């Protein structure tokens, strides 16, 4: 059947307004609008890791292609980091530098799932994973999870088990979690491992916030020996090292998965930006003190934001996720509430972007703007919440 002027169904099912349908209106509004709807970090990166610190004199053909697997200097820095942080010697052949975790996860999903397959996604979740599944012709099956941890009677294994069907191919787990700021308790990790093994599923472990833990201990799923052969892990420097615009991440996993990941990356993006691979290597090699300071600043921001909205402080990450229903005006829904927040100068993410069960919830990024701006944004938001 002729296609023009229709576009592909998978693309037609996607929106670029996931984080806020109000962002365009925000631009027309007089006065400041604090963009707490997109996950970002306001700090400048370590000086050696900035774009302007990369020089052709040091790296001949700085702006040429990099090897598809990654620049040797960055691959070496990543292997050092994985060994130092996790005591794990990842097989160098099973490591792949990616142009950011968003592309990386699209590639991983494309490498592991076939069109028509289902991806189980414990919710609430990072808003783009649902669209990534759609873009690959797959379906995400949402399982309310992170907001239910600790709830009396909640059985994580039974909840996941109910989501498994004949087309389930993988479980995507992002912990520390965007948007809840929660770590994965051992019982929940046990449940994921049991279900993945029982049904022979891949596990896609998204470690975007591994370096931003504010309280408690993060025990990465991928370190569990019983999951080693079935877990593909993605990491990014976007949040940890304030390098979101650099678009650098990396992935590792079992050889058969990584061969497919590399082949797909070869065809979809070839390589990550070469100058920023040198920047990322500098961040990983020399950025530990910078990271400790950044983490402390973000943790303080998280506590301030939690106090302002009456939520518990986040265990990790850069977000708060809370039910805003008590602050709705009579007859008002989530969109009306979000408009009132915008009128007050604050953009928030609608909860349904993170899962269909969160119709009255909102996500707030507390690291998107510097402390003074955050204080102003929180005061404005507090006035809306107290109505
Ligand atoms: C959980 C999670 N995964 C992946 C990403 C994508 O990161 P990147 O900037 O490397 O594409 C993000 C970014 O917000 C995230 O929060």
């Amino acid at each position: 059947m002729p296609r023009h002027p229709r576009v592909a169904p998978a693309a037609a099912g996607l929106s670029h307004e996931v984080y806020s349908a109000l962002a365009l209106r925000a631009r027309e509004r007089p006065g400041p609008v604090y963009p707490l709807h997109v996950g970002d970090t306001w700090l400048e990166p370590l000086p050696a890791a900035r774009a302007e610190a990369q020089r052709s004199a040091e790296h001949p053909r700085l702006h040429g292609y990099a090897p598809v697997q990654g620049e040797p200097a960055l691959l070496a820095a990543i292997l050092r980091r994985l060994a130092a942080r996790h005591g794990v010697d990842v097989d160098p052949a099973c490591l792949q530098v990616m142009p950011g975790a968003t592309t990386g996860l699209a590639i991983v999903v494309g490498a592991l799932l076939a069109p028509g397959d289902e991806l189980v996604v414990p919710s609430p979740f990072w808003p783009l994973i649902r669209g990534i599944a759609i873009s690959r012709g797959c379906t995400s099956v949402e399982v309310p999870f992170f907001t239910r941890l600790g709830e009396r009677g909640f059985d994580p294994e039974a909840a996941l088990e109910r989501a498994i069907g004949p087309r389930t191919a993988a479980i995507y787990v992002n912990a520390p979690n965007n948007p809840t700021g929660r770590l994965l308790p051992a019982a929940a990790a046990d449940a994921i491992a049991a279900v993945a093994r029982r049904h022979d599923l891949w596990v896609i472990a998204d470690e975007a916030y591994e370096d931003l833990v504010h309280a408690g201990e993060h025990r990465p799923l991928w370190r569990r020996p019983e999951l080693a052969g079935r877990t593909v892990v993605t990491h990014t420097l976007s949040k940890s090292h304030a390098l979101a615009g650099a678009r650098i991440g990396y992935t590792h996993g079992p050889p058969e998965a990584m061969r497919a990941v590399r082949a797909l990356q070869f065809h979809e993006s070839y390589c990550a930006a070469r100058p920023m691979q040198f920047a990322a290597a500098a961040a990983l090699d020399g950025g530990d003190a910078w990271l400790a300071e950044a983490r402390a600043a973000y943790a303080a921001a998280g506590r301030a934001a939690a106090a302002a909205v009456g939520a518990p402080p986040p265990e990790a990450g850069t977000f708060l996720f809370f039910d805003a229903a008590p602050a709705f005006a009579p007859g008002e829904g989530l969109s009306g509430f979000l408009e009132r927040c915008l009128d007050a100068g604050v953009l928030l993410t609608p909860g349904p972007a993170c899962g269909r069960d969160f119709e009255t919830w909102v996500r707030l990024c507390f690291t998107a703007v510097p402390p003074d701006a955050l204080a102003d944004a929180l005061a404005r938001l507090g006035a809306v919440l107290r109505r």
Side-chain angles (χ1 to χ4, degrees):
M1 202 207 291
R3 169 79 63 194
H4 177 267
R6 289 170 302 127
V7 298
L14 296 177
S15 162
H16 64 277
E17 291 184 331
V18 175
Y19 292 126
S20 174
L22 300 175
L24 264 184
R25 239 193 65 195
R27 273 188 231 150
E28 289 148 21
R29 187 189 172 277
V33 174
Y34 296 109
L36 309 190
H37 61 309
V38 179
D40 210 346
T41 50
W42 65 272
L43 282 168
E44 287 297 327
L46 182 77
R50 296 180 191 174
E52 66 263 26
Q54 316 315 315
R55 309 210 163 279
S56 301
E58 282 165 45
H59 307 295
R61 295 198 38 72
L62 180 64
H63 301 93
Y65 288 118
V68 171
Q69 187 187 2
E71 203 47 52
L74 177 55
L75 291 168
I78 293 168
L79 291 171
R80 276 195 294 278
R81 184 166 193 80
L82 291 171
R85 200 173 191 286
H86 300 288
V88 174
D89 286 327
V90 166
D91 177 355
C94 291
L95 179 61
Q96 174 66 46
V97 172
M98 313 174 306
T102 304
T103 305
L105 282 157
I107 287 171
V108 170
V109 170
L112 304 181
L113 279 75
D117 281 351
E118 291 178 358
L119 176 67
V120 170
V121 182
S123 70
F125 46 77
W126 169 55
L128 300 195
I129 193 63
R130 181 166 50 193
I132 284 175
I134 293 172
S135 75
R136 298 297 188 180
C138 302
T139 318
S140 55
V141 179
E142 304 178 15
V143 180
F145 198 82
F146 287 99
T147 41
R148 301 196 62 196
L149 296 172
E151 185 183 301
R152 229 189 141 105
F154 176 62
D155 178 343
E157 189 170 333
L160 291 168
E161 191 64 48
R162 280 194 292 276
I164 307 298
R167 291 302 304 260
T168 311
I171 307 183
Y172 162 84
V173 185
N174 163 229
N177 176 250
N178 168 2
T180 59
R182 295 219 49 175
L183 301 170
L184 194 65
D190 287 344
I192 291 165
V195 173
R197 283 161 57 90
R198 187 173 310 128
H199 297 281
D200 244 332
L201 307 175
W202 287 104
V203 175
I204 301 173
D206 178 345
E207 294 281 323
Y209 299 95
E210 62 185 330
D211 284 323
L212 298 181
V213 176
H214 312 310
E217 192 191 342
H218 169 47
R219 294 194 192 86
L221 209 50
W222 66 273
R223 295 272 311 278
R224 296 186 149 234
E226 77 272 29
L227 289 182
R230 63 175 73 249
T231 305
V232 178
V233 194
T234 62
H235 308 255
T236 172
L237 280 85
S238 289
K239 310 300 158 90
S240 56
H241 294 83
L243 284 171
R247 314 307 300 131
I248 301 289
Y250 53 100
T251 183
H252 50 95
E256 59 280 20
M258 293 312 297
R259 268 194 296 277
V261 164
R262 188 159 309 145
L264 213 49
Q265 168 147 328
F266 186 96
H267 287 86
E268 297 209 352
S269 71
Y270 195 75
C271 63
R274 188 162 190 258
M276 299 320 290
Q277 294 200 46
F278 294 115
L284 290 178
D285 278 340
D288 283 352
W290 181 96
L291 175 58
E293 272 183 40
R295 192 189 296 117
Y298 298 153
R303 286 192 296 274
V309 307
E315 293 176 311
T318 62
F319 300 100
L320 294 180
F321 193 61
F322 57 96
D323 188 356
F328 289 3
E332 184 182 55
L334 179 62
S335 52
F337 171 77
L338 290 171
E339 281 189 35
R340 275 198 298 125
C341 291
L342 172 59
D343 289 340
V346 181
L347 273 175
L348 299 175
T349 319
C354 303
R356 72 165 71 89
D357 294 275
F358 304 99
E359 279 191 359
T360 58
W361 292 59
V362 292
R363 187 187 75 163
L364 175 159
C365 176
F366 53 78
T367 57
V369 297
D372 287 356
L374 182 67
D376 190 29
L378 293 175
R380 290 158 177 263
L381 183 61
V384 179
L385 291 174
R386 285 190 299 277
R387 238 179 356 101

